[in-house]
């Protein structure tokens, strides 16, 4: 029996969790496409040189996360992701030429780097001992005018290698990239809206005077099993924001 070489992962994780990461990477790299049957538990356990029970735990985690699905009598398949459009767009843009908000604003990535994890991000992730994460900054534009400045914090080692991706290949939506490149599916998020003061960076990219008022949105995004994957802080030009909630339909 010859075990496969396993790429570098976080050695602090249990073996089944590291196996999960390797299998998710094979899905993300296109070795197994949506709808494909993956090899049997026995075959995968033999390939990686691990106990069958350990491989079963890794596969169960991927099933729980929504990347795989089991079909009785036929095997385990790569699941077709069911993305929610409201998670994709993060907000709706209303314009005279786009009353339904169906057009996605332009996205420009400004920076990607490994940084010391801020205290509020560490608290959101629930990992007090974690020291570093990936920070991504980008600006969203509508008709060439800046609308939003985003600071996005992502876990390590989950998103190791994000810094090397070509921004032109990432497109305006990040969650499909998270799945395609890293095997991470976002299925729910909590957004909190408030108002505050522009930072030096947000004032610069939103083309606002220093200390201008801004709308502030904080997002916490989770995978199918509730693990927090992303912490996002957004500053927006306040004159472009409207708050609307539908409490229910009235039937007559």
């Amino acid at each position: 029996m010859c075990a496969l070489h396993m790429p570098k992962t976080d050695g602090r994780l249990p073996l089944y969790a590291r196996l999960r990461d390797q299998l998710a990477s094979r899905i993300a790299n296109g070795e197994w496409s949506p709808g494909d049957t993956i090899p049997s538990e026995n075959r995968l356990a033999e390939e990686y040189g691990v106990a069958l029970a350990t491989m079963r735990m890794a596969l169960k985690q991927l099933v729980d996360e929504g990347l795989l699905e089991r079909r009785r009598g036929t095997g385990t398949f790569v699941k077709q992701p069911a993305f929610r459009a409201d998670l994709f767009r993060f907000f709706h843009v209303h314009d005279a030429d786009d009353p339904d908000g169906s057009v996605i604003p332009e996205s420009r990535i400004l920076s990607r780097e490994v940084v010391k994890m801020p205290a509020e991000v560490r608290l959101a992730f629930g990992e007090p001992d974690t020291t570093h994460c990936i920070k991504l900054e980008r600006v969203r534009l509508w008709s060439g005018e800046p609308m939003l400045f985003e600071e996005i914090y992502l876990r390590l080692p989950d998103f190791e290698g994000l810094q090397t991706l070509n921004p032109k290949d990432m497109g305006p939506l990040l969650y499909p990239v998270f799945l395609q490149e890293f095997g991470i599916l976002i299925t729910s998020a909590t957004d909190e809206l408030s108002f505050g003061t522009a930072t030096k960076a947000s004032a610069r990219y939103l083309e606002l005077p220093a200390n201008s008022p801004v709308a502030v949105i904080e997002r916490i995004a989770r995978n199918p099993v509730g693990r927090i994957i992303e912490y996002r802080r957004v500053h927006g030009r306040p004159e472009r924001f409207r708050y609307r909630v539908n409490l229910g339909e009235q039937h007559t």
Side-chain angles (χ1 to χ4, degrees):
M1 176 178 65
C2 180
L4 293 181
H5 171 68
M6 295 177 62
K8 182 181 178 181
T9 58
D10 189 344
R12 297 171 297 177
L13 296 174
L15 179 56
Y16 79 87
R18 283 179 276 154
L19 284 168
R20 175 263 171 224
D21 289 347
Q22 303 313 314
L23 295 170
S25 294
R26 293 173 74 172
I27 296 172
N29 292 333
E31 181 175 345
W32 303 316
S33 300
D36 286 352
T37 306
I38 69 168
S40 67
E41 294 174 345
N42 287 325
R43 180 176 172 185
L44 288 171
E46 183 177 356
E47 286 183 354
Y48 282 95
V50 300
L52 181 59
T54 303
M55 181 56 66
R56 283 176 177 165
M57 292 176 66
L59 292 172
K60 181 180 184 302
Q61 187 169 349
L62 290 171
V63 170
D64 291 343
E65 291 177 9
L67 287 177
L68 296 177
E69 62 177 334
R70 297 186 188 276
R71 300 177 189 172
R72 187 180 300 275
T74 56
T76 303
F77 294 76
V78 179
K79 190 173 182 179
Q80 183 71 42
F83 290 114
R84 291 173 48 190
D86 54 341
L87 288 176
F88 269 7
R89 286 206 291 259
F90 184 55
F91 61 93
H92 289 275
V93 176
H94 293 276
D95 183 83
D97 297 327
D98 180 33
D100 296 328
S102 59
V103 176
I104 299 170
E106 179 186 353
S107 172
R108 293 182 187 171
I109 294 176
L110 306 170
S111 66
R112 293 167 291 168
E113 59 181 338
V114 175
V115 300
K116 186 175 180 180
M117 187 179 291
E120 66 271 23
V121 180
R122 190 180 301 114
L123 180 64
F125 284 166
E127 295 187 356
D129 297 330
T130 301
T131 59
H132 290 78
C133 63
I134 289 183
K135 179 182 179 182
L136 184 151
E137 290 185 342
R138 71 174 181 173
V139 63
R140 311 298 297 276
L141 304 98
W142 182 258
S143 299
E145 295 184 4
M147 293 180 59
L148 299 173
F149 171 74
E150 299 176 316
E151 296 174 301
I152 301 169
Y153 296 88
L154 303 168
R155 291 176 177 272
L156 285 172
D158 298 36
F159 291 92
E160 191 72 53
L162 178 68
Q163 312 95 301
T164 63
L165 295 181
N166 187 337
K168 294 180 180 179
D169 296 333
M170 295 177 67
L173 300 174
L174 290 178
Y175 292 172
V177 176
F178 292 176
L179 178 64
Q180 294 162 10
E181 298 292 337
F182 304 100
I184 295 175
L185 176 64
I186 299 293
T187 57
S188 66
T190 301
D191 295 336
E192 183 174 313
L193 173 66
S194 61
F195 291 89
T197 303
T199 62
K200 183 177 180 181
S202 64
R204 174 187 175 189
Y205 290 110
L206 294 176
E207 301 176 1
L208 293 171
N211 301 317
S212 292
V214 291
V216 180
I217 304 172
E218 291 179 282
R219 161 168 286 200
I220 293 175
R222 304 173 183 84
N223 70 5
V225 295
R227 183 171 184 257
I228 295 173
I229 299 298
E230 169 203 29
Y231 175 88
R232 184 185 310 204
R233 181 169 50 235
V234 183
H235 282 187
R237 299 182 66 100
E239 74 274 10
R240 300 299 298 270
F241 275 78
R242 299 290 185 273
Y243 175 75
R244 182 175 69 185
V245 59
N246 295 319
L247 298 177
E249 296 181 358
Q250 183 177 4
H251 298 279
T252 57

